Amino acid sequence: MNLLNEDYSETKKNKTKTLIKVIIVLIVLVVIAIIGIISYMMYLQRMELKVLLNAQQNDDLKNLLVFETDGTIYVPVRAISSFLGYSCYNGEYTDRSEDNSKCYVQSEVEVANLTLNSNKIYKLNLSGNEQEYTYVYMDKPVRAINGQLYITTDGMQKVFNTTFEYNEESNTITIDTIPYLTSIYQTAVLDYGYTGLSDVLENQKAMLKNMLVVTNGNGYGVINGLDGTEILECKYDNILYQQLVGDFIVVSDGKYGIIGTDQKTKVEISYDNIKLIDYDAGLYLVQRNGRYGIIDLNGNTVIYPENDQIGVDISRFEENNLKTGYILVDNLIPVMRDNKWGLFDLRGNQVVAFEYDSFGYIANNSRDAINLLVIPSYNVIVACLNNRYTLLNASGEQTFKAFVDDIYMTNNGGEIHYTMIANDRTYDVEDYLDRLGVQQVSTNNTTNTSSNTTNTSSGTTDQTVNETVEENTQNGEEQSSNEGQTIQEVEE
């Protein structure tokens, strides 16, 4: 009997020990699980995407980002504008409409125009008197997502003048705007021994590349924003950063030149003025002794500075929706010498002699005529001689060998029409050019190359012109020898 009790007691003890071990194991497992859960939650918290806008966390901005499988990040133009100090509208700044395939964003100092499927951004500085647009290129074209226009973060930086940095290790995106960077760097330049930063918008854009245009009270220079090391000595009367090219136009003793960030002189400081007129063509407008010429990005002469004027004043042709008056129909540079206008191509070859009184039609009657310089869908320029008008194509050739009384534009409820008048008879210019066999051109600007399309006329040109505008030259007036051939002379 005692043996049975002893066996029972021993069995009970073993079961108790086993239960205790199981409980301990379970407690250990629970503790490990709790530690694992806490660690995982901490990991998730650490790895949750953070977006810092001007050093402040912004969850609303984070929710706007669209991540593609290839790593590209897109942002909606309209929604993100308000976060970055801009307003967004449909259409174009100079051609306002409700066209939702285009939009422009506007701040107090700048406008940027965007078009669906295009990677070209046209920008207008509102802080000066310039009417000419500049442009930059995004890495990818504007795209539509759910009916809204989206751009990449590269495009965001260029449209809104911001920085964008993504730290994958901390899963943090940092976005800084120029006003914020200015407030940060203003303190830094004082520590570096300078009196302040340039307040010119184009120079402020250098901050996006960690470069600062600074002054010491006596002159301007450029320093590295990260460590204050000198890039250009603080000895120039003025400096203007060229965002597209990455160089600096410098002014010393009233003379202009160009110096790169590598401190090498690209253009000697010898001109009275220098202005970048087209990056794709690589051309600067230069002035010397009151005369104008063209040089390339390396300082080589394209058109000698011996002309009275280069470029047309596009402020006279506001409804023509032109971005520049220096290069017309993608290929031609209008140049005036001795009060006569001619045309040069982008390589500096003169393709039209100095024989025209002006380019463009200026409305001077009671009709609903609007000033007209170019007809973009056909890449033709309106040219004037002795108060008569003709059209020149991208090669400088007349599309029809005649001069008419008027060539102008009308806008009827947003519909643009081009009209030509010869001897009090009215003709639709586009219909007329179609009859001549002049081909329309594409206005798509999705790439950073120019079409340089040349229009040509069919072999029936003169016959068609004779049939439609012959009366223009049958008014009995004597034509001057330099006015160009009349229709009758062409036919003969």
Side-chain angles (χ1 to χ4, degrees), residues 133-146:
Y133 279 81
T134 58
Y135 57 83
V136 291
Y137 289 103
M138 300 178 286
D139 58 346
K140 294 185 178 181
V142 179
R143 61 178 290 190
I145 302 177
N146 296 325

Side-chain angles (χ1 to χ4, degrees), residues 187-326:
T187 302
V189 298
L190 296 178
D191 294 340
Y192 294 143
Y194 301 95
T195 59
L197 289 165
S198 169
D199 60 359
V200 176
L201 174 62
E202 297 308 313
N203 287 339
Q204 291 177 335
K205 292 177 182 180
M207 290 189 291
L208 305 176
K209 298 295 184 181
N210 293 318
M211 295 184 293
L212 309 178
V213 180
V214 297
T215 179
N216 60 8
N218 297 316
Y220 288 89
V222 182
I223 64 173
N224 186 310
L226 299 178
D227 56 19
T229 55
E230 189 177 76
I231 298 174
L232 298 183
E233 290 185 61
C234 205
K235 64 179 182 180
Y236 298 99
D237 301 333
N238 205 353
I239 289 178
L240 187 65
Y241 178 57
Q242 304 295 287
Q243 184 182 26
L244 261 180
V245 185
D247 297 330
F248 294 92
I249 293 178
V250 299
V251 185
S252 182
D253 296 327
K255 296 296 182 182
Y256 289 67
I258 300 175
I259 302 178
T261 55
D262 56 2
Q263 301 180 333
K264 293 182 180 179
T265 299
K266 290 191 172 182
V267 177
E268 294 294 333
I269 306 175
S270 61
Y271 292 100
D272 299 329
N273 204 353
I274 299 177
K275 177 182 179 181
L276 180 67
I277 60 172
D278 193 271
Y279 174 72
D280 288 342
L283 300 177
Y284 285 101
L285 174 71
V286 295
Q287 181 183 5
R288 179 182 285 162
N289 299 324
R291 300 286 181 173
Y292 296 88
I294 300 288
I295 63 174
D296 65 20
L297 298 182
N298 296 314
N300 301 310
T301 299
V302 177
I303 299 175
Y304 284 95
E306 56 186 7
N307 305 288
D308 301 326
Q309 184 176 332
I310 293 180
V312 178
D313 179 10
I314 61 172
S315 66
R316 307 179 73 187
F317 305 95
E318 290 186 358
E319 295 198 42
N320 220 173
N321 196 24
L322 298 171
K323 299 296 189 295
T324 177
Y326 293 110

